[in-house]
Amino acid sequence: MSRWPAWFASTLMLLACACGDAPAAAPGRLVRVPLLPAPDAEPFPADRIVFSEDVGADPSPWAGEAPEVRTLAQGAGVRWLRLRSPGGRDEMRAVRRGPLSAGPFDLLAVMASIGASGTLVAELERDGRVIASSPSRSLLARGDPVRLALPLVHDGSPVDALVLRFSGSSRKVDLGRVELLRRAPLGWLPGGDEAGAVVVSGSEARVALGVGTGRPLVGRFDAPVGGRLRFAWALPEPLRAADDAELELELSADGLPSLTRRVALSAGESRRWQLVEVTLGALAGAVLDLRLSVVAASPTACAISPPVAWTPALRPASVLLVTTDTHRGDHLGAARGGVVVETPNLDALAAQGVFFERCFSSTNVTNPSHVALMTGVHPRDTGILVNNVPLAEAAPTLAEVFASHGYVTVASLSARHLGHAGSGLGQGFDRMTWPADGEASAEEAIARLREALEEAEGQPVFAWLHLFDPHHPYAPDPADLRPYWPEDRDPRDPSLPPLPIDDDVLPDDMAGLRDLDHPRAAYRAEITAMDRTLGRLLADSRFDDKAVIAVVGDHGESLGAHGVYFTHAELYPDSLHVPLILRGPLPVVDPAVDPEMPGFVPGSRRSEPVTSLDVGRTVLDLAGLEAAPFPGRSLVSVRDERPRFAVSAHGFSASVTFQDLHLVLHLRDHHQRFLAEGVERHRVQLFDLASDPGALRDLILERPEVARALGERLVEWLRDARALEWAGASSTDAELEATLLAMGYVAGTGTESATLFEPDDCDWCERFR
């Protein structure tokens, strides 16, 4: 669990300076009520060790394939048991025979050093049968021992064996200490030395604290006139509640009757977040003391989102950020890019706002692109170049900025790997939802967003909607495909000539394909369907002409050019050029007054080269938060062209685009799936986008001096990377890893930005030295 965002810690300090009183809420502006343990609260519970054993000290109870006892230098003299995979098998087992515990336990902790990436599953056996098992936990190769913790719930009845199953590419595992722990219910939630954390229950994340029996939470705030108080609570796994357990809310003020509410915690067994809302009534306008406690006969706990107090507004401020996944910049009607695709709602939005014709993403992969968008910091510096490395809690985000200025922050995402566990982007969001499995349709994502908007009725909102529909596999409704592909035309017609590419280059669902225009048509159909669904949301009164709306792609898609088939590998314009539309209270710039500044009026088109890195800064400015600290430059006032840099997934390649020249430097040997050919390390390519917008003609031999100068600029930029240490620990969700592999993403942990480029004696380096 990550700690509470930095803005909340700062707010707590300010509140402390004000003798503990929270500021009053203006109409339509919410105030977050800080919660702290009550003065009479018991200490935060520590885990209790039920069973502990240094495996290497006495390996006799343990059975494994060809075990050996050894001492690791980094183990500080602790003896370790080494397991080796026999006969090249993909699984190793360590089995601990004999009695294990003196009571119930619910957590397994293992110290291990792993030779390569894989997974770990723990099982308990009795009479040869598995009676309990842990979730699968992904493991990453590390040189130093790491402590792996897995939920493993058991009632304390006799157990014959503990089985640890290591699977994957590793051929050796070193085991140190193994512990079985009993964790108090409150121990599963934030609230020890932490001020709060992102807590996931079901497929929804909220920033929350833990409240439990013996450890109530208290807060103080100025109750707004005509105001309300609201919070959410949940029972995330593995928490349970007895039938008699209740959550109690008490509001009190000097000289006024107190207000008490109780809710049964058994309602939380569904794992959905439950809302509690109170109309303050006679308490409005007073300084209120809030106390939240759990009443139960046995230890019980639940997660609590920070309460908010507000007076409803008729037209609260609304900011909507829509990110369309895998959306090429030439695939919407407003682009006028020569592609026949119907997007009437996006076209109408562009007619009401401003359309940017030449927007590039900073990378070609989903999570790193969104992390860059939400922080205003390039992937070169965030250090996040793959989909399974989340953003660390130290990084400030766009959601945190909006939250600190009184906005409710909500997000509805369409891809599981973009959820908080995979991306770390839940920080700063009051509510974030994502699909439990794989991906969700635009209809599903928008339905979840509408739920969040209804919850925030009367409150200012910053909403992020992520739509995944254009991403492969393309599976449009036949009615949406019909305008782009005749019903009587068979793309697998055996009378058509075979494609001049190997079968394994195409995605599995395209086996036997004879006509590449079919998936291209299906891609356009997916975009049309997404546009139609999005149009219904844009028509909501919440997003009238006073609302700020931004629509931007996270990256593009290659449809066969450069030997890249229906994926977004490499850094050609296919994968970097994305749509960008801004609409809102736009400042009108009169060219007669400022002839160097193009008109920024509704329905205008901007031809200046820009990047999606600056969208966050621009949205804040359009919302009237020009003074809020956030990186980037406002696209409202773009005048000069700056080089646009990009780094690909895994640090395979880097590119720079400036004055219509586009240079790609391949940093590593790579041959991803869906690529017809591999790419040699340090190869350089140069394109003139003015005459060759698709980057189809490599000019490296014709203009070597131009390539040398531009390449030097790119290498210098790579070497200027900042060590921000914003890359968190890679995801340990084995199901998430499997989902990413099914989508065609390469498994891995990324590349440190500081080592993106290292020259050597290869022919390419010699040529440009």
Side-chain angles (χ1 to χ4, degrees), residues 94 291 377 479 663:
R291 183 181 178 94
V377 176
L663 182 136

Side-chain angles (χ1 to χ4, degrees), residues 147-158:
R147 187 175 188 267
L148 308 169
L150 298 87
L152 185 62
V153 180
H154 184 58
D155 59 9
S157 58

Side-chain angles (χ1 to χ4, degrees), residues 199-212:
V199 175
V200 178
S201 190
S203 294
E204 181 178 335
R206 298 190 187 228
V207 177
L209 293 134
V211 59

Side-chain angles (χ1 to χ4, degrees), residues 527-614:
I527 292 172
T528 294
M530 177 187 70
D531 174 88
R532 180 177 59 252
T533 308
L534 178 59
R536 293 195 284 268
L537 176 68
L538 297 178
D540 193 294
S541 59
R542 178 106 204 193
F543 302 115
D544 59 16
D545 58 355
K546 301 298 183 183
V548 174
I549 300 177
V551 178
V552 63
D554 67 338
H555 55 73
E557 181 83 323
S558 182
L559 304 177
H562 306 98
V564 182
Y565 291 92
F566 310 107
T567 187
H568 31 277
E570 304 303 338
L571 294 179
Y572 305 113
D574 296 3
S575 294
L576 292 178
H577 183 205
V578 295
L580 173 58
I581 301 171
L582 297 176
R583 200 210 73 181
L586 304 174
V588 178
V589 179
D590 186 352
V593 176
D594 188 354
E596 295 184 2
M597 185 68 184
F600 202 86
V601 297
S604 61
R605 303 173 68 87
R606 299 293 291 273
S607 61
E608 297 90 349
V610 299
T611 78
S612 56
L613 277 176
D614 294 320

Side-chain angles (χ1 to χ4, degrees), residues 349-530:
L349 188 70
Q352 300 163 10
V354 178
F355 180 76
F356 289 82
E357 299 174 330
R358 302 168 69 191
C359 180
F360 269 24
S361 176
S362 57
T363 186
N364 62 342
V365 66
T366 298
N367 285 25
S369 178
H370 282 94
V371 167
L373 182 72
M374 290 294 181
T375 61
V377 176
H378 202 284
R380 176 200 68 172
D381 299 327
T382 66
I384 297 174
L385 301 174
V386 291
N387 276 334
N388 66 337
V389 174
L391 183 68
E393 63 187 65
T397 68
L398 184 62
E400 290 173 359
V401 176
F402 274 107
S404 68
H405 285 80
Y407 282 73
V408 175
T409 53
V410 299
S412 179
L413 313 179
S414 297
R416 182 185 176 193
H417 61 272
L418 194 55
H420 179 70
S423 70
L425 289 173
Q427 59 192 56
F429 280 102
D430 294 304
R431 176 175 179 173
M432 173 182 278
T433 60
W434 58 87
D437 300 303
E439 61 187 85
S441 67
E443 291 184 356
E444 294 168 318
I446 289 174
R448 291 197 304 269
L449 182 64
R450 286 191 183 278
E451 289 181 8
L453 294 174
E454 290 173 5
E455 182 180 323
E457 184 178 358
Q459 303 171 6
V461 164
F462 166 63
W464 169 28
L465 173 65
H466 165 254
L467 301 176
F468 200 67
D469 298 58
H471 195 287
H472 179 266
Y474 319 133
D477 186 275
D480 292 316
L481 181 61
R482 197 171 296 123
Y484 307 110
W485 187 262
E487 289 184 275
D488 58 355
R489 186 174 169 186
D490 182 6
R492 292 175 171 81
D493 185 347
S495 67
L496 295 174
L499 296 175
I501 54 176
D502 294 337
D503 291 340
D504 58 358
V505 170
L506 292 177
D508 293 342
D509 64 316
M510 298 183 192
L513 190 70
R514 295 291 182 97
D515 193 335
L516 293 177
D517 284 338
H518 182 265
R520 293 165 183 153
Y523 174 71
R524 284 180 280 162
E526 290 277 26
I527 292 172
T528 294
M530 177 187 70

Side-chain angles (χ1 to χ4, degrees), residues 166-333:
F166 296 89
S167 61
S169 58
S170 178
R171 291 294 176 264
K172 61 182 177 62
V173 175
D174 294 305
L175 292 180
R177 180 168 298 158
V178 174
E179 294 178 333
L180 298 173
L181 306 169
R182 182 64 168 170
R183 174 168 285 180
L186 193 57
W188 295 99
L189 299 169
D193 296 330
E194 300 174 299
V198 175
V199 175
V200 178
S201 190
S203 294
E204 181 178 335
R206 298 190 187 228
V207 177
L209 293 134
V211 59
T213 48
R215 192 175 172 84
L217 299 174
V218 296
R220 171 172 289 187
F221 66 103
D222 287 338
V225 175
R228 302 174 185 175
L229 182 78
R230 176 191 288 158
F231 64 89
W233 65 272
L235 288 176
E237 287 284 4
L239 296 181
R240 299 288 186 273
D243 291 339
D244 66 338
E246 293 182 315
L247 174 64
E248 181 179 86
L249 159 73
E250 182 179 3
L251 290 168
S252 60
D254 292 339
L256 294 173
S258 61
L259 186 156
T260 302
R261 286 279 183 87
R262 284 193 174 191
V263 295
L265 290 182
S266 57
E269 294 291 345
S270 67
R271 307 303 170 194
R272 289 180 59 89
W273 289 86
Q274 312 286 324
L275 287 180
V276 176
E277 184 172 319
V278 176
T279 300
L280 298 177
L283 296 175
V287 177
L288 299 185
D289 288 310
L290 166 68
R291 183 181 178 94
L292 290 164
S293 55
V294 172
V295 180
S298 58
T300 307
C302 68
I304 295 286
S305 69
V308 295
W310 84 102
T311 300
L314 293 177
R315 295 186 69 183
S318 301
V319 179
L320 174 64
L321 172 63
V322 181
T323 57
T324 55
D325 207 296
T326 322
H327 195 173
R328 289 173 60 108
D330 59 357
H331 270 57
L332 69 165

